[in-house]
């Protein structure tokens, strides 16, 4: 059938009337929520790495890329936190290291580095980080939520292109 988008008062989500249930709890599957719980800290680390690049990188290209990654991932964190709120769940509070995330020791090494040394560590670390994020997308392959599907494809497309760009930049070191 054809879904007619009848905008009801207070429904600013813009989804067409395919979800007839008025409970937002059913909007996100368990996999969607688990993905968000894991991807939020994963993205947060990328944002933290981008913040370090602002003061530690010398290369304008690396600085620009770090700023771009940070500006993409910060709103995605906010979006995924919204899924948790909507489903009545919270972030996991244990220190689980997700695919591709830097260890505490690697983050400490990155914080201590500057210039070319920082750039090399940042690029190598962020390539691994992005590859881990792309691997994590397999958790939501079966999602039927349009918002989740859109985010999944945006992450896949953006981060795949950025990995290529970072691999090219890394050849300069």
């Amino acid at each position: 059938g054809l879904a007619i988008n009848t905008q009801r008062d207070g429904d600013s989500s813009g989804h067409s009337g395919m979800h007839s249930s008025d409970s937002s709890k059913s909007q996100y599957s368990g996999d969607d929520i688990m993905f968000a719980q894991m991807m939020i800290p994963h993205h947060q680390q990328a944002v933290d790495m981008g913040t370090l690049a602002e003061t530690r990188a010398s290369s304008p290209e690396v600085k620009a890329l770090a700023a771009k990654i940070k500006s993409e991932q910060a709103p995605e964190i906010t979006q995924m936190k919204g899924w948790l709120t909507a489903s009545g769940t919270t972030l996991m509070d244990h220190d689980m290291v997700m695919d591709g995330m830097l260890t505490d020791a690697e983050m400490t090494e990155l914080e201590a580095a500057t210039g070319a040394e920082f750039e090399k560590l940042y690029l190598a670390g962020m390539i691994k980080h992005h590859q881990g994020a792309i691997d994590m997308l397999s958790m939501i392959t079966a999602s039927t939520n349009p918002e989740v599907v859109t985010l999944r494809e945006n992450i896949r497309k953006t981060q795949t292109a950025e990995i290529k760009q970072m691999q090219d930049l890394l050849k300069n070191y």
Side-chain angles (χ1 to χ4, degrees), residues 123-137:
L123 291 168
M126 194 56 81
I127 288 168
K128 192 177 76 162
H129 209 270
H130 272 19
Q131 286 166 336
I134 291 168
D135 289 345
M136 286 164 67
L137 297 178

Side-chain angles (χ1 to χ4, degrees), residues 49-86:
M49 290 167 72
T51 303
L52 291 175
E54 290 166 12
T55 55
R56 288 167 175 78
S58 318
S59 155
E61 283 179 303
V62 174
K63 280 188 177 217
L65 179 70
K68 179 176 179 280
I69 291 170
K70 186 176 168 179
S71 72
E72 287 160 359
Q73 297 204 14
E76 289 175 355
I77 291 170
T78 306
Q79 182 183 13
M80 289 185 285
K81 282 182 174 171
W83 304 356
L84 300 185
T85 305

Side-chain angles (χ1 to χ4, degrees), residues 6 16 27 35 58 60 63 80 94 99-102 108 111 118 121-122 125 132 146 153 162 165-166:
T6 51
S16 60
Q27 213 180 345
F35 172 79
S58 318
K63 280 188 177 217
M80 289 185 285
H94 57 78
D99 276 354
M101 281 183 73
L102 276 66
T108 302
E111 284 166 18
F118 172 87
L121 288 171
Y122 174 85
E153 293 315 307
E162 285 167 354
Q165 186 186 356
M166 290 187 286

Side-chain angles (χ1 to χ4, degrees), residues 19 48-49 68 85 89 98 113 115 136 140 156:
H19 299 292
D48 295 344
M49 290 167 72
K68 179 176 179 280
T85 305
T89 51
M98 262 60 78
M136 286 164 67
I140 49 171
R156 187 188 318 279

Side-chain angles (χ1 to χ4, degrees), residues 97-160:
V97 176
M98 262 60 78
D99 276 354
M101 281 183 73
L102 276 66
T103 61
D104 289 345
E106 288 171 322
M107 277 302 283
T108 302
E109 188 185 9
L110 192 64
E111 284 166 18
T114 53
E117 187 197 353
F118 172 87
E119 291 154 17
K120 198 170 156 179
L121 288 171
Y122 174 85
L123 291 168
M126 194 56 81
I127 288 168
K128 192 177 76 162
H129 209 270
H130 272 19
Q131 286 166 336
I134 291 168
D135 289 345
M136 286 164 67
L137 297 178
S138 64
M139 296 172 65
I140 49 171
T141 301
S143 182
T144 54
N145 183 303
E147 188 187 347
V148 176
V149 171
T150 300
L151 180 68
R152 180 188 74 210
E153 293 315 307
N154 285 347
I155 290 174
R156 187 188 318 279
K157 193 175 67 191
T158 307
Q159 297 201 11
T160 301

